[in-house]
Amino acid sequence: MTLVGKQFPNLAVDAMNEMGDTFKINVLEEAKTNNKKIVLFWYPKDFTFVCPTELHAFQAAMDEFEKRNTMVIGASCDTPEVHFAWLNTPKDDGGIEGVTYPILADTNRNLANRLGILDITNERYDEETGVLTVDGDNVTYRATYLIDEEGTVFHEGVNHMPVGRNVNEFLRLIDAYAHVQKNGEVCPANWEEGKQAMNANRDGVATYLASN
């Protein structure tokens, strides 16, 4: 079930930063208390292949997110200790040294389960033993949530494991949502900052289509 238009779950999760500090983050409270937008991106596993390219791509765009009053948070189901080991592994050895945003360590999978983003299929219950078994790795897909200052989700997307994300698209979506918040206009297909938006009525779409 989609979370778009709804409040992000009110749940505190362990997190790790580049200093080796373990602490709790409640994404909903972070957005509302700090009056910031949040991009929360989940990835399957530390010390893998596509994942470090994404974490470095988000880090490279940190200045752009900060210009947009947006906090970046990574997340997986690895432990804080594994996160810290990866944070201390050099980039040229497959690590994420240099990443400065916090990374959630949802080891009990409470939040990932709530979001419905775990790779779990073919659940089977053995009535004789009372054991539930599943197929899949029980790690998260590449899910991304954009959350506004009120804690409301305004975008969610899920990629399969092999497909990395385009960080620039999230910047574009944040720009578009901020334009809607500020101006009350809606943003048409392929809209980018500085391009024409339109009024959400019949005349607005007619005017836009006539000039584009």
Side-chain angles (χ1 to χ4, degrees):
M1 182 178 295
T2 182
L3 279 179
V4 171
K6 303 180 180 69
Q7 290 272 285
F8 193 80
N10 184 10
L11 188 66
V13 180
D14 284 340
M16 172 62 69
N17 62 22
E18 82 277 15
M19 302 300 294
D21 302 317
T22 301
F23 52 98
K24 295 281 188 181
I25 288 184
N26 183 317
V27 174
L28 177 65
E29 289 184 358
E30 288 290 331
K32 296 173 73 172
T33 301
N34 297 310
N35 194 36
K36 287 180 177 289
K37 292 182 175 67
I38 291 179
V39 53
L40 170 66
F41 72 98
W42 295 79
Y43 61 91
K45 299 177 183 178
D46 293 357
F47 291 100
T48 52
F49 319 112
V50 175
C51 297
T53 70
E54 292 192 312
L55 274 81
H56 285 298
F58 277 100
Q59 181 65 40
M62 282 293 289
D63 287 347
E64 292 301 318
F65 284 113
E66 289 172 359
K67 287 177 187 176
R68 292 161 173 81
N69 192 39
T70 299
M71 181 179 181
V72 176
I73 302 175
S76 81
C77 297
D78 295 279
T79 66
E81 293 80 10
V82 174
H83 284 340
F84 189 52
W86 204 25
L87 283 162
N88 280 281
T89 301
K91 183 177 180 180
D92 60 7
D93 197 24
I96 58 167
E97 188 176 41
V99 165
T100 60
Y101 49 82
I103 305 175
L104 300 186
D106 188 27
T107 52
N108 56 21
R109 290 163 171 75
N110 285 339
L111 183 54
N113 265 311
R114 185 89 65 90
L115 298 172
I117 57 174
L118 288 168
D119 172 28
I120 297 175
T121 58
N122 196 23
E123 294 187 11
R124 301 176 300 282
Y125 179 72
D126 188 320
E127 293 186 0
E128 183 176 334
T129 63
V131 173
L132 178 69
T133 58
V134 299
D135 295 331
D137 290 336
N138 201 24
V139 298
T140 65
Y141 293 108
R142 298 187 192 283
T144 313
Y145 297 86
L146 299 182
I147 301 152
D148 72 12
E149 298 86 348
E150 299 299 321
T152 301
V153 177
F154 65 92
H155 167 83
E156 66 178 344
V158 183
N159 290 12
H160 206 345
M161 311 294 189
V163 182
R165 284 161 281 208
N166 184 336
V167 173
N168 287 331
E169 173 62 4
F170 302 121
L171 293 169
R172 187 193 74 84
L173 288 167
I174 291 166
D175 287 341
Y177 193 76
H179 183 92
V180 173
Q181 289 176 307
K182 180 179 179 181
N183 300 292
E185 296 178 313
V186 294
C187 297
N190 300 321
W191 184 91
E192 294 176 344
E193 185 66 46
K195 289 188 175 181
Q196 180 183 354
M198 62 187 189
N199 293 319
N201 54 43
R202 184 177 179 84
D203 288 342
V205 67
T207 300
Y208 177 83
L209 291 175
S211 59
N212 288 274

